Amino acid sequence: MAEDAYDQEDSIKSIEVKLAEIVPKEEICWHVRLHTYVMNIATPLSRGCVQPKKKLNDLCLQVNPKGALARQFMLNVEDQGLQEAQLVVRAQSASTAANGTESQCLQGTGSSTTTSSKSTVTSSSKTTSSSKTSVTSSSKTTSAASPPTSYPNPWTVSGSTNVHDPTLARRSDGTYFLLATAPGISIKKSTDLKTWTDAGLVWPNGQATWTDSYTGTSNGNLWAPDLTWANNQFYLYYAASSFGTSNSAIFFATSPTGEQGTWVNQGLVTSTTSTSGYNAIDPSLLIDGSKWYLAFGSFWTGIKVTEISTSTGKPLSSAITAIATRPSSVSGAIEAPQIFKSGSYYYLFASFDKCCLGASSTYRIMVGRSSSPLGPFVDANGTKMIDGGGTQILATHGSIYGPGGQQIVSTSSGITLVYHYYQSDGTAKLGLNLLAWDANGWPFVAS
């Protein structure tokens, strides 16, 4: 996913976006959204996909926000096997159009326009394709919007939505796969993020016997799966453990389709014992260009990160970097890390406090940022997360209890926060919201 932003305070007449020198393996999808002064939320303007059979000189699309007084315009391009793309964003205001600089935007393939525009933002990247992680970008990603005065409720979803520690990725045909903690790891599917159906298990019928020594039982719960679509296949990291212990392990699996019966066990990634001082659960993969990183950890001495081989999916070395902790006064309560790159920053999201207590859960979602995936990560007040810092972006509100176990992923709707929360009866449910970034580059739950 590549993302660019354009700020201006004039009444926009049209926005032109050009994707130049596209060399796709499969498809390229775009999603254009606008932040306005009135709404302060992301308003969808245009979305779509192309599945070319040969190289495109460019893809050009034009949208009309009907004269909205724009706070900011943002473009998401979700690459599926994108080898190289140059994004050129031209936002044309009503005043420049009146001065005779009307732009012409050619749909589909063809040559780009050369007329002047109020601003041009360009980024270029060579990436490993991933439906989960953002790619290197030369422009800062920020939505220059203001957080709402209260937390928005999760989107309305239906069907099979009872989940814990959900993880989401989209296959190249547009199908979303949602995996969650369960014996064998549950699989759910959707085409629109709204209606979800059961699709079996990753490891049915107690197949994952290699995890039994960590769960302490046959066919025990497998925790906190982490799903990524990249290189035309699914990558899955997941944990095996039991409550209150650090006798834990993280495993790796792959699948060409995500369907039950197609998953291949790729073996142990890392493990811990009662003397390790940290806990090998809650894995999360970051694909950052040609490098992979795995964040993980829960309680004990907190969150760690290690570099991963792109060929084996296993650690390149024994080197592990500590990136976040909590004090002993709160029992070191931090887990569920994810490092997400946006613009020039790496953002570390984590869940603070207590999970798994139904409506009494105190889980809340926190964030810090760094210029490196290895940290140091600091919160909005400048406190390092290794010293217990973190900026809160979501917590219990109304009838939404203990939101956490989160993932940040690019979807057709934008940058999406995926999490679980509890209802008043203690049922764990799927939560989905859009994320946006304020003028200082800090994320917040927008809608």
Side-chain angles (χ1 to χ4, degrees):
M1 187 282 293
E3 184 172 282
D4 269 309
Y6 169 71
D7 289 292
Q8 66 113 42
E9 297 186 1
D10 200 353
S11 178
I12 289 181
K13 180 178 180 181
S14 66
I15 296 171
E16 174 187 329
V17 180
K18 173 191 160 192
L19 281 66
E21 295 300 314
I22 300 171
V23 190
K25 294 178 181 177
E26 295 174 8
E27 71 170 2
I28 296 178
C29 298
W30 69 84
H31 177 78
V32 179
R33 64 190 192 271
L34 179 75
H35 288 262
T36 69
Y37 283 113
V38 176
M39 299 181 68
N40 260 344
I41 61 172
T43 304
L45 296 179
S46 175
R47 66 184 65 177
C49 297
V50 290
Q51 295 179 304
K53 297 181 180 178
K54 60 183 180 179
K55 175 178 174 178
L56 298 179
N57 289 330
D58 60 64
L59 167 68
C60 194
L61 57 128
Q62 190 169 12
V63 295
N64 182 8
K66 299 180 180 179
L69 187 62
R71 176 174 288 252
Q72 187 171 80
F73 147 78
M74 296 188 73
L75 165 72
N76 285 350
V77 178
E78 302 166 9
D79 67 67
Q80 304 289 340
L82 184 62
Q83 294 176 349
E84 182 173 2
Q86 183 183 50
L87 307 181
V88 179
V89 178
R90 295 185 179 93
Q92 184 179 30
S93 69
S95 60
T96 56
N99 291 330
T101 56
E102 185 84 18
S103 176
Q104 296 178 354
C105 188
L106 302 177
Q107 294 288 341
T109 61
S111 60
S112 63
T113 63
T114 57
T115 56
S116 62
S117 58
K118 182 165 183 179
S119 178
T120 299
V121 180
T122 303
S123 71
S124 179
S125 62
K126 287 188 177 181
T127 72
T128 297
S129 164
S130 171
S131 66
K132 171 188 164 183
T133 58
S134 63
V135 301
T136 304
S137 172
S138 62
S139 63
K140 182 179 179 181
T141 301
T142 169
S143 60
S146 300
T149 56
S150 60
Y151 296 127
N153 284 329
W155 299 346
T156 300
V157 293
S158 63
S160 182
T161 59
N162 292 357
V163 296
H164 203 279
D165 304 320
T167 181
L168 176 70
R170 185 175 62 176
R171 198 168 59 188
S172 58
D173 65 356
T175 303
Y176 290 98
F177 281 74
L178 183 76
L179 274 57
T181 292
I185 305 176
S186 65
I187 304 172
K188 302 177 191 297
K189 295 165 61 176
S190 176
T191 58
D192 60 5
L193 296 173
K194 297 178 181 179
T195 303
W196 295 90
T197 58
D198 283 316
L201 300 170
V202 171
W203 310 120
N205 305 316
Q207 182 180 351
T209 55
W210 54 87
T211 65
D212 291 351
S213 62
Y214 298 97
T215 62
T217 184
S218 175
N219 198 26
N221 263 337
L222 299 179
W223 290 354
D226 178 73
L227 187 66
T228 301
W229 175 261
N231 302 320
N232 206 34
Q233 64 181 317
F234 283 107
Y235 297 125
L236 171 64
Y237 289 88
Y238 61 97
S241 187
S242 58
F243 279 107
T245 78
S246 57
N247 179 42
S248 309
I250 294 169
F251 294 91
F252 180 47
T254 56
S255 167
T257 67
E259 307 288 352
Q260 178 175 304
T262 68
W263 289 93
V264 178
N265 173 31
Q266 302 293 350
L268 179 71
V269 176
T270 189
S271 63
T272 50
T273 68
S274 60
T275 61
S276 297
Y278 62 99
N279 198 7
I281 67 170
D282 291 3
S284 178
L285 176 66
L286 167 69
I287 296 179
D288 183 27
S290 62
K291 291 191 174 184
W292 289 16
Y293 299 91
L294 192 73
F296 62 93
S298 170
F299 286 71
W300 277 268
T301 56
I303 306 305
K304 317 295 181 184
V305 64
T306 188
E307 190 171 351
I308 295 292
S309 167
T310 60
S311 59
T312 67
K314 310 291 179 63
L316 279 175
S317 71
S318 60
I320 294 175
T321 302
I323 54 175
T325 62
R326 296 289 306 287
S328 58
S329 60
V330 293
S331 304
I334 182 173
E335 56 190 5
Q338 185 190 356
I339 301 172
F340 181 84
K341 189 175 185 188
S342 182
S344 60
Y345 285 111
Y346 297 84
Y347 292 84
L348 173 59
F349 294 83
S351 295
F352 278 19
D353 299 333
K354 297 297 179 67
C355 168
C356 314
L357 300 173
S360 298
S361 296
T362 57
Y363 243 15
R364 53 198 176 110
I365 300 174
M366 313 293 285
V367 69
R369 72 185 185 192
S370 173
S371 59
S372 165
L374 302 179
F377 292 88
V378 299
D379 63 19
N381 293 321
T383 303
K384 293 180 180 179
M385 293 188 77
I386 197 67
D387 296 327
T391 297
Q392 182 173 295
I393 65 167
L394 190 63
T396 295
H397 57 102
S399 59
I400 308 301
Y401 299 96
Q406 71 290 321
Q407 177 199 26
I408 294 81
V409 61
S410 176
T411 72
S412 60
S413 296
I415 305 302
T416 304
L417 177 67
V418 185
Y419 59 98
H420 73 252
Y421 67 92
Y422 294 95
Q423 298 183 141
S424 57
D425 63 1
T427 302
K429 304 292 290 186
L430 172 64
L432 297 170
N433 288 98
L434 281 182
L435 280 187
W437 271 255
D438 67 19
N440 294 314
W442 288 99
F444 63 90
V445 181
S447 60

